[in-house]
Amino acid sequence: MSERSKATLNREFSDIPLHSTGATNASHAALALFRAGVPMLAGTDCTPFGPPHGAGLHHELLTLTRAGLTAEQALAAATSVPARCFGLTDRGRITPGLRADLLLVDGDPTRDITATRAIADVWRRGVRQSQTPA
């Protein structure tokens, strides 16, 4: 992964203007919906203005944990839950025979969700992706 990509993944988006209580209200609403049994799906839109592809999802996972979800619940919101909700039976879980889109990270994202930003390797459809020289 290039240094530019690493810097983008670690960027905080605090410079994006928000309503003074918008993030707090959104966090409370997300947690209330989750507790009521509404499936939580993580995913972000990208625009030319930010956040860049990928980086927004890492920030969203952190936001979900700050809202009150466990790291495991936030990870499920980005993997198995969307796969189930969209009927994608070939992905979302690590099981023999399923599509293998995987990230290897340095650290344990079930203990610290920001470990998802420390990407060590990537597999897409079971094929290890070539490393970008640093």
Side-chain angles (χ1 to χ4, degrees), residues 87-120:
L88 303 171
T89 58
D90 65 336
R91 64 195 80 186
R93 295 167 287 123
I94 300 173
T95 302
L98 296 188
R99 179 178 166 148
D101 294 336
L102 304 167
L103 289 180
L104 175 65
V105 299
D106 288 325
D108 183 352
T110 65
R111 293 180 184 259
D112 176 9
I113 199 68
T114 64
T116 63
R117 297 177 182 190
I119 298 170

Side-chain angles (χ1 to χ4, degrees), residues 3-131:
E3 290 304 314
R4 181 175 179 227
S5 294
K6 289 177 186 176
T8 299
L9 285 174
N10 291 319
R11 178 180 168 210
E12 287 297 325
F13 296 98
S14 57
D15 56 335
I16 299 172
L18 296 173
H19 185 273
S20 62
T21 60
T24 301
N25 291 343
S27 291
H28 288 133
L31 185 58
L33 289 166
F34 183 76
R35 286 181 174 161
V38 175
M40 191 63 52
L41 304 167
T44 59
D45 290 334
C46 292
T47 70
F49 310 105
H53 287 281
L57 183 58
H58 296 283
H59 184 71
E60 186 171 349
L61 292 172
L62 179 60
T63 301
L64 288 171
T65 60
R66 287 180 176 166
L69 275 69
T70 66
E72 292 90 347
Q73 291 166 333
L75 290 167
T79 56
S80 60
V81 177
R84 186 178 67 246
C85 288
F86 289 107
L88 303 171
T89 58
D90 65 336
R91 64 195 80 186
R93 295 167 287 123
I94 300 173
T95 302
L98 296 188
R99 179 178 166 148
D101 294 336
L102 304 167
L103 289 180
L104 175 65
V105 299
D106 288 325
D108 183 352
T110 65
R111 293 180 184 259
D112 176 9
I113 199 68
T114 64
T116 63
R117 297 177 182 190
I119 298 170
D121 219 334
V122 177
W123 283 263
R124 184 170 178 248
R125 294 185 178 176
V127 177
R128 186 178 186 184
Q129 303 300 291
S130 61
Q131 294 286 323

